[in-house]
Short mmCIF file of all heavy atoms in Angstrom, two decimals:
data_model
loop_
_atom_site.label_atom_id
_atom_site.label_comp_id
_atom_site.label_asym_id
_atom_site.label_seq_id
_atom_site.Cartn_x
_atom_site.Cartn_y
_atom_site.Cartn_z
N THR A 1067 61.13 -58.46 -55.24
CA THR A 1067 61.43 -58.04 -56.58
C THR A 1067 60.88 -56.68 -56.90
O THR A 1067 61.58 -55.79 -57.31
CB THR A 1067 61.11 -59.15 -57.58
OG1 THR A 1067 61.68 -60.33 -57.25
CG2 THR A 1067 61.29 -58.60 -59.00
N ILE A 1104 67.38 -53.20 -64.65
CA ILE A 1104 66.24 -53.85 -63.79
C ILE A 1104 65.63 -54.98 -64.69
O ILE A 1104 65.41 -55.99 -64.21
CB ILE A 1104 65.15 -52.71 -63.46
CG1 ILE A 1104 65.78 -51.82 -62.40
CG2 ILE A 1104 64.00 -53.35 -62.93
CD1 ILE A 1104 66.16 -52.24 -61.10
N PHE A 1156 56.46 -31.08 -56.42
CA PHE A 1156 55.64 -32.04 -55.63
C PHE A 1156 54.83 -32.84 -56.51
O PHE A 1156 54.81 -34.15 -56.28
CB PHE A 1156 54.80 -31.19 -54.68
CG PHE A 1156 53.89 -32.08 -53.76
CD1 PHE A 1156 54.45 -32.85 -52.86
CD2 PHE A 1156 52.57 -32.23 -54.09
CE1 PHE A 1156 53.59 -33.68 -51.97
CE2 PHE A 1156 51.73 -33.05 -53.42
CZ PHE A 1156 52.27 -33.76 -52.33
N VAL A 1170 54.49 -52.05 -55.62
CA VAL A 1170 54.85 -52.69 -54.53
C VAL A 1170 53.73 -53.28 -53.75
O VAL A 1170 53.66 -54.45 -53.32
CB VAL A 1170 55.86 -51.85 -53.54
CG1 VAL A 1170 56.10 -52.49 -52.21
CG2 VAL A 1170 57.15 -51.53 -54.27
N GLY A 1175 50.13 -57.62 -51.99
CA GLY A 1175 48.82 -58.12 -51.96
C GLY A 1175 48.66 -59.47 -52.66
O GLY A 1175 48.03 -60.33 -52.23
N HIS A 1178 49.99 -62.02 -50.21
CA HIS A 1178 49.38 -61.97 -48.76
C HIS A 1178 47.89 -61.87 -48.71
O HIS A 1178 47.23 -62.37 -47.77
CB HIS A 1178 50.04 -61.09 -47.87
CG HIS A 1178 51.59 -61.27 -47.81
ND1 HIS A 1178 52.09 -62.59 -47.72
CD2 HIS A 1178 52.60 -60.40 -47.74
CE1 HIS A 1178 53.44 -62.45 -47.55
NE2 HIS A 1178 53.82 -61.20 -47.59
N LEU A 1193 46.08 -66.09 -68.14
CA LEU A 1193 47.37 -65.39 -67.87
C LEU A 1193 48.31 -66.38 -67.23
O LEU A 1193 47.85 -67.07 -66.26
CB LEU A 1193 47.16 -64.17 -67.05
CG LEU A 1193 46.32 -63.08 -67.62
CD1 LEU A 1193 46.05 -62.00 -66.51
CD2 LEU A 1193 46.91 -62.49 -68.74
N PHE A 1203 54.62 -54.93 -64.88
CA PHE A 1203 55.01 -53.88 -64.07
C PHE A 1203 56.46 -53.32 -64.49
O PHE A 1203 56.63 -52.15 -64.43
CB PHE A 1203 54.98 -54.22 -62.60
CG PHE A 1203 53.63 -54.19 -61.94
CD1 PHE A 1203 53.14 -55.33 -61.38
CD2 PHE A 1203 52.76 -53.10 -62.04
CE1 PHE A 1203 51.81 -55.29 -60.84
CE2 PHE A 1203 51.57 -53.13 -61.56
CZ PHE A 1203 51.01 -54.10 -60.97
N GLU A 1236 63.44 -16.79 -73.33
CA GLU A 1236 62.52 -17.61 -74.14
C GLU A 1236 61.35 -18.00 -73.25
O GLU A 1236 61.43 -18.05 -72.03
CB GLU A 1236 63.23 -18.86 -74.57
CG GLU A 1236 64.34 -18.52 -75.55
CD GLU A 1236 64.99 -19.75 -76.08
OE1 GLU A 1236 64.34 -20.87 -76.14
OE2 GLU A 1236 66.14 -19.71 -76.53
N ALA A 1239 58.85 -24.22 -72.60
CA ALA A 1239 58.36 -25.16 -73.56
C ALA A 1239 56.99 -25.64 -73.21
O ALA A 1239 56.62 -25.92 -72.13
CB ALA A 1239 59.29 -26.39 -73.61
#
Side-chain angles (χ1 to χ4, degrees):
T1067 300
I1104 295 292
F1156 178 75
V1170 171
H1178 301 320
L1193 299 173
F1203 282 124
E1236 295 183 24

